[in-house]
Amino acid sequence: MDFISVKEAFGRAGEVALRGWCSRVRTQKNIVFVVLRDGSGSIQVAFKEGDVSADAFKRASELTVESSITLTGAVRKDDRAPGGYEVQGRTLDVVHVAERFPIVKDKSPEFLLDVRHLWLRSEQIANVTVVKDTLMSAARDWFRKNEWFETTPPIITASAAEGGSTIFEIDYFGDKAYLSQSAQMYLEALIFPLERVWAITPSFRAETSRTTRHLTEYWHLEAEAAWLDQEANMRVQESLVSAMAQAVGKQCAEQLRALGRDPADLLKIKPPFKRITYDDAIEILKKKGMDVKWGDDLRTEEERALVEGEEKPIFVTNYPAHIKAFYMKLNPDGKTVACADMIAPEGFGEIIGGSQRSEDIEYMKKRLKAEGANLKNYEWYFDLRRFGSVPHSGFGLGIERVVRWFCKLEHIRDATPFPRTLNRFYP
Ligand code: 4AD
Ligand code: MG
């Protein structure tokens, strides 16, 4: 008999062959109950003395948590079983008897991070991973449909895109090189042959503050297009994020519910998203009694206050130049830049940073000098403004930030299988 998946077994009548892992094992009188897990889900299997050979019953009674098995049996509707179906075991082969599984009830978050390679087998992480798969694939579909090219920028770089304070330095055969914080500058180079380009790459930030929304390694979705101004840039972003939310809301309803997120919340995410200027944001925050003044960067608390009562993300536009990166286009007021952060609802904070790019080499040099950067490393970037420069814009979306929001996770580390944080890169 050919093996079928657990998902396919639900609702099937008659004999099936299944294989997977025992996430739970419990013996009740003359029946061994096993919760069998595979890549598609879990189902209860009952091995009853007499229904199976004496040998098979003995093997079943010796099963341990996480042992791998193959079996045949008959699927039956059973309201008492989780999911409403049960398999009555007929034959059992044990592929591997697992050693005593270290994860039992009541383990601390730190311990679970130490055994993350095993904790990945929990339902929660599997559900999050399915959501992540779905949203990345929805993004890819969106770009293809709208005729953007997926590209492959480098990870080893010579210059910082987002400032030297959070950059990881590496020894490159005796030279200093850096792990990419953003593919932006490389995508900017790629708009000249292709106009609309995007990429998903790992980005690295040597973040020294411990927060629930910073990883030191994260997956970064970035896009860049020629002839795109900042207003059109925001329209791209709201359309893309809505497509991701719709796909997850529709395709992952079951996973979302298990994670405590109502899929209807995501189905509400549709363009347009509200836009408020940074100037207005400061006034709103002051009226709410918060201690902020023009020129301050917005922290988690302020971002949370700005989305109070909102069901969709909002854009905060035109931040002061001095709190944003050197490459953003200066507005005519000479103080603010043509940029926007997209802020997710419910206090999940910034999920996208984007801007129109400066074409003024002297302005960018002045900004970089003030930051103490080595201008020599940026000569190639300035070349992009010397040979057929055009207005262009782009943005970067933190995949784990969006996963955290969609899945309503307390901490961003649960949005990725092997989180890298200030004091952890094992396992
Ligand atoms: O706002 P950021 O720093 O912008 C850039 O890197 C631009 N160069 C992007 C571009 O225009 N191509 O980062 C973009 C997004 C943030 O909005 C956030 O979602 C995510 O990347 N992000 C992080 N996610 C997890 N951990 C961190 N330490 C992050 N830092 C930024
Ligand atoms: Mg940002």
Side-chain angles (χ1 to χ4, degrees):
M1 218 186 310
D2 286 339
F3 291 108
I4 62 167
S5 70
V6 161
K7 193 164 129 193
E8 290 167 318
F10 277 95
R12 252 307 158 104
E15 205 76 7
V16 295
L18 299 171
R19 60 184 163 192
W21 293 266
C22 305
S23 37
R24 236 170 295 156
V25 184
R26 153 176 80 89
T27 306
Q28 213 175 60
K29 288 186 207 145
N30 58 340
I31 310 179
V32 179
F33 290 100
V34 169
V35 175
L36 179 81
R37 181 191 78 243
D38 73 1
S40 72
S42 297
I43 195 165
Q44 179 165 293
V45 186
F47 296 99
K48 192 170 174 188
E49 202 169 10
D51 280 3
V52 295
S53 69
D55 243 20
F57 186 76
K58 182 165 178 288
R59 286 196 295 273
S61 356
E62 287 164 6
L63 284 174
T64 54
V65 168
E66 288 306 314
S67 290
S68 42
I69 59 174
T70 69
L71 63 98
T72 62
V75 184
R76 261 197 355 172
K77 205 163 163 37
D78 185 336
D79 293 334
R80 290 163 307 174
Y85 284 88
E86 186 182 82
V87 179
Q88 289 186 302
R90 297 268 178 265
T91 66
L92 166 69
D93 280 309
V94 180
V95 179
H96 181 245
V97 179
E99 294 177 26
R100 219 181 99 79
F101 200 60
I103 304 173
V104 288
K105 271 205 177 113
D106 303 327
K107 288 292 181 186
S108 71
E110 272 310 302
F111 175 77
L112 291 177
L113 285 166
D114 287 341
V115 293
R116 186 74 167 188
H117 52 297
L118 301 176
W119 180 232
L120 292 183
R121 302 177 190 198
S122 69
E123 201 178 295
Q124 192 213 11
I125 302 186
N127 284 335
V128 171
T129 309
V130 171
V131 168
K132 197 173 191 176
D133 165 68
T134 306
L135 71 81
M136 291 206 285
S137 138
R140 194 162 265 123
D141 291 346
W142 187 94
F143 281 115
R144 185 159 289 274
K145 202 174 95 206
N146 291 284
E147 298 182 5
W148 295 58
F149 293 99
E150 184 167 9
T151 62
T152 57
I155 303 298
I156 299 173
T157 69
S159 41
E162 298 302 320
S165 67
T166 63
I167 202 151
F168 278 112
E169 195 178 296
I170 56 170
D171 171 32
Y172 197 76
F173 307 114
D175 273 339
K176 265 189 204 167
Y178 307 98
L179 293 180
S180 173
Q181 297 166 307
S182 162
Q184 178 191 322
M185 297 198 287
Y186 298 96
L187 292 180
E188 284 185 67
L190 282 158
I191 64 169
F192 294 87
L194 299 169
E195 295 197 25
R196 288 176 303 284
V197 293
W198 72 285
I200 296 187
T201 55
S203 277
F204 301 88
R205 306 278 171 113
E207 308 277 0
T208 51
S209 55
R210 262 204 257 188
T211 77
T212 54
R213 59 179 191 155
H214 287 93
L215 295 164
T216 54
E217 175 182 323
Y218 70 97
W219 287 83
H220 202 171
L221 183 163
E222 292 176 276
E224 194 75 28
W227 316 110
L228 194 73
D229 65 17
Q230 178 50 20
E231 177 50 39
N233 191 20
M234 289 190 278
R235 286 201 298 272
V236 170
Q237 294 165 39
E238 63 193 3
S239 170
L240 171 69
V241 168
S242 299
M244 292 162 85
Q246 295 296 318
V248 171
K250 284 179 194 138
Q251 294 164 40
C252 304
E254 200 184 306
Q255 287 84 359
L256 291 173
R257 277 193 208 101
L259 290 161
R261 158 71 71 202
D262 183 351
D265 297 344
L266 299 187
L267 297 176
K268 285 181 199 149
I269 312 296
K270 286 181 185 159
F273 297 172
K274 189 172 175 179
R275 290 131 166 80
I276 55 172
T277 63
Y278 171 89
D279 290 5
D280 288 347
I282 293 297
E283 290 314 309
I284 293 168
L285 293 169
K286 279 183 184 159
K287 279 202 193 105
K288 286 181 185 268
M290 299 186 81
D291 180 25
V292 286
K293 57 179 191 313
W294 198 93
D296 291 347
D297 206 354
L298 303 179
R299 295 164 305 172
T300 314
E301 301 95 283
E302 282 97 36
E303 288 179 348
R304 178 188 294 277
L306 287 173
V307 294
E308 236 168 52
E310 301 288 342
E311 294 183 324
K312 300 196 286 186
I314 66 164
F315 287 109
V316 178
T317 68
N318 302 301
Y319 284 71
H322 70 272
I323 54 172
K324 289 293 182 187
F326 76 93
Y327 52 71
M328 294 188 182
K329 186 181 170 65
L330 200 58
N331 283 325
D333 65 13
K335 289 193 312 201
T336 62
V337 281
C339 74
D341 280 1
M342 188 192 287
I343 316 291
E346 304 164 40
F348 287 104
E350 176 195 341
I351 49 174
I352 291 185
S355 66
Q356 188 158 342
R357 315 310 189 185
S358 176
E359 293 170 62
D360 181 342
I361 298 177
E362 287 318 308
Y363 168 73
M364 290 193 280
K365 280 190 173 168
K366 207 171 76 194
R367 288 290 309 268
L368 282 168
K369 244 188 233 151
E371 288 170 24
N374 182 353
L375 293 189
K376 256 196 3 230
N377 293 334
Y378 294 82
E379 270 308 309
W380 72 271
Y381 184 66
F382 300 142
D383 270 352
L384 306 179
R385 311 302 195 264
R386 293 183 179 121
F387 301 98
S389 184
V390 289
H392 63 287
S393 304
F395 62 91
L397 171 153
I399 293 285
E400 287 80 6
R401 295 262 179 108
V402 176
V403 169
R404 178 176 173 231
W405 162 39
F406 283 7
C407 296
K408 240 181 162 165
L409 302 174
E410 194 74 33
H411 201 294
I412 195 169
R413 66 180 172 224
D414 287 322
T416 201
F418 292 100
R420 270 72 180 101
T421 49
L422 181 56
N423 41 21
R424 179 177 293 279
F425 56 95
Y426 174 93

